[in-house]
Amino acid sequence: MNAGETQRVPWIVGVSGASGTPYAAAVLRALLAAGESVDLVVSRASRLTLLDETGISFRDAHWREDLAAWLARGADGKPGTFTVDLSDVRYWRASDLAAGPSSGSYRARGMLVVPASTACVAGVALGLSKDLLQRAASVTLKERRPLAVAVRESPLTGQTLRHLVALDDAGAAVVPTSPAFYAGATHIQDLVDFVAGRVLDTVGVPHRLYDRWKGELGGPRA
């Protein structure tokens, strides 16, 4: 690295196998739009969900091409809705437990798990580190970096609720993927963006994904 260069410090984004790949896409687009660097980990299970929800096969050897197609797609499934610059995205295979994010000495701002399946929640809460996604989340907690977990499941069992409490006790922000309607949503993308915006709010990343409450009834509809 040249003396004048600034060392790259990314946000790690983990995508687990729960339904909700549009949430992950919205978070990724917003991070990049905010000028943030991103390290991406896509679990094996999430590839099946992505294929089912978008028709896109996420392949290690062609991750940049597949990611571009995914992030360009709107929440309504329409391709070519968004244009995204992927020049500051680094991809790590979920099976690579020697990857950078597996170590606390790897510089990172924090991590966002979007969406987080109940299996992923359990793995992180129990410290199982069965893949890079879980290991990176465990490292984030032990290094006292921000961790946002966007859990997507309904109804929640008592065991999952206990795991979520454990994550909260460890310092993570638990963000249910529950959109609000006071922001004047008129499209499915608005609901997705609200959840993505709340995830980013918990880690302090600026965005313009939704209209914030200003204390005026009906304000966003005016």
Side-chain angles (χ1 to χ4, degrees), residues 23 177-195 198 210-213 216-222:
Y23 295 129
T177 52
S178 303
F181 296 86
Y182 62 76
T186 59
H187 190 276
I188 186 174
Q189 189 67 55
D190 298 328
L191 299 176
V192 168
D193 285 348
F194 180 88
V195 172
R198 295 300 290 146
Y210 68 89
D211 289 329
R212 298 184 182 278
W213 176 250
E216 300 175 4
L217 292 176
R221 296 191 302 274

Side-chain angles (χ1 to χ4, degrees), residues 118-130 134-135 137-138 141 159-160 162-164 166-167 170:
T118 55
C120 175
V121 165
V124 177
L126 297 173
L128 298 183
S129 295
K130 73 170 190 176
Q134 291 185 15
R135 171 60 184 168
S138 295
L141 288 176
Q159 191 62 56
T160 297
R162 286 187 283 274
H163 289 152
L164 292 172
L167 290 178

Side-chain angles (χ1 to χ4, degrees), residues 19 22 37 41 56 62 73 81 113 119 133 140 154 175 201 217:
S19 176
S37 302
V41 182
I56 296 171
H62 303 280
R73 183 179 295 262
T81 301
V113 183
L133 195 159
T140 301
S154 182
V175 188
D201 286 344
L217 292 176

Side-chain angles (χ1 to χ4, degrees), residues 91-111:
Y91 170 69
W92 301 94
R93 290 181 292 108
S95 60
D96 185 4
L97 290 176
S102 69
S103 172
S105 66
Y106 183 79
R107 286 171 57 85
R109 296 192 183 279
M111 183 171 182

